[in-house]
Every structure is written in C-alpha cells, then in structure tokens.
Amino acid sequence: MNPVKGTHSSDPPSAEEPPPTVAPQLRALRHRAALTLESAAAAAGLSPAHLSRLETGRRQPSLPMLLALARIYGTTVSDLLGETVTERDAVVRSAGMEPTRAGGWTYWQAGAAGRGMQSLRVHVPYGAQGDIVRVHPGEEWLYVLQGRLRLRLGDTAHVLEPGDSAHFDSLTPHRIAAADRDGAELLFVHTLLQSPTAALCLGPTTTPGESS
C-alpha cells in the first residue's frame, strides 16, 4: 500500500493489515507443525522467500493467505493472529458442524479447534484420493461407521467393516479409500499439534507406480 500524504501515526491501522504479532505466530506455528519453510510454502502455494518475508514481518498476509496457512498448520486464523481463546466449548452439536469439501472428501469438525487432538467425521467417496500415499509425523485413529474402508499400512492391505477401527503411527506410509461405491463414513482423530490437517485430509504425497 502506498503511503498517503498527510496520514498521521495516530491513524488506526488498515483493517486489511493484521497486527505485528502475526509474523512471530506464523513462524512459531510452522515450527509446532514440524514443517520446513519450503514444505509449508509449497502447501500454501507461496514461494519460500514470500513465506519468509511474512514470518519476518516484511510482508503482511492477506486474509486468503491466513486461511490457507491456518488450514496447513491445523489451527485457526485467531491463533495465527495471537488472539487468546479464553474458553472452548466441550460439546459440539450436530447442527453446528459445517461440512467442508476438498479433494473429493467431505468432513465435519467433531471437536474444538486448537486442541492437542482433532476429531473429524469424514465421508470418503468411492474413487476419491485412493492412490494418495501419506507420510507425516503424528498418530491417527479411525472408526468405520458405515460402508467398507480399504486401508493400506506400509505393505499390508486391510478391509475394515463397520465397527472396525485402526490406530497407527502416521510415519507409516498409509492410504485410505472407500471399498464400496456408496463410499464410507468414518470417525477420525489425529494429533493436531504434530500433523497439520492438510497433510491428513487434503495434502497428497503421491508415490509413483502405486496402485490399489
């Protein structure tokens, strides 16, 4: 933004510019998510140099950038801005669960943001992301509510029926796909502080030559 002649230092900051605390928060949350500057920038669609300027306060992020980085770091825009959350609701009502669709999946937040674990209800449609292999820090637990789920852990393939569950280290290469054309419904829990949401539900790590 170009300076405007006659603007005094007492003028309120532009609503488009977050407060200075966003720079150290961006860096701290990236470290908390165990992401390098290069990997976080790639996931956000930025260059490493651009993200570095955001983290040092030489550039101010736009709202779309904040939303993208919050999703990558598994947190909220409020957390990125350094706002203190005084109280979190312990109960999440079904009416308050807004669906989010990405990569063919639909998921609903089933717990409060900013916790050490994140809970989701997930619908995995048939054929969506079935060839994506993920490897990242953290742990995952899932429980099949409806339909059948194909789960590959390393070199071992499993078919999970309703009522079956799995709990595994996310550093084990893993792949999730619906086994039936009606898709699968899951309860899904992961360690939020170690694994950004994007790496679990949205961010692909593909392995060439892999097949179902």
Side-chain angles (χ1 to χ4, degrees), residues 98-108 121-125 184-185:
E98 294 292 334
T100 300
R101 295 175 179 84
W105 293 24
T106 304
Y107 62 93
W108 296 259
R121 180 165 63 88
V122 183
H123 174 73
V124 183
E185 297 280 341

Side-chain angles (χ1 to χ4, degrees), residues 20-37:
T21 54
V22 69
Q25 281 294 108
L26 286 175
R27 189 183 309 108
L29 288 169
R30 176 172 61 79
H31 290 166
R32 191 179 76 177
L35 290 173
T36 65
L37 186 71

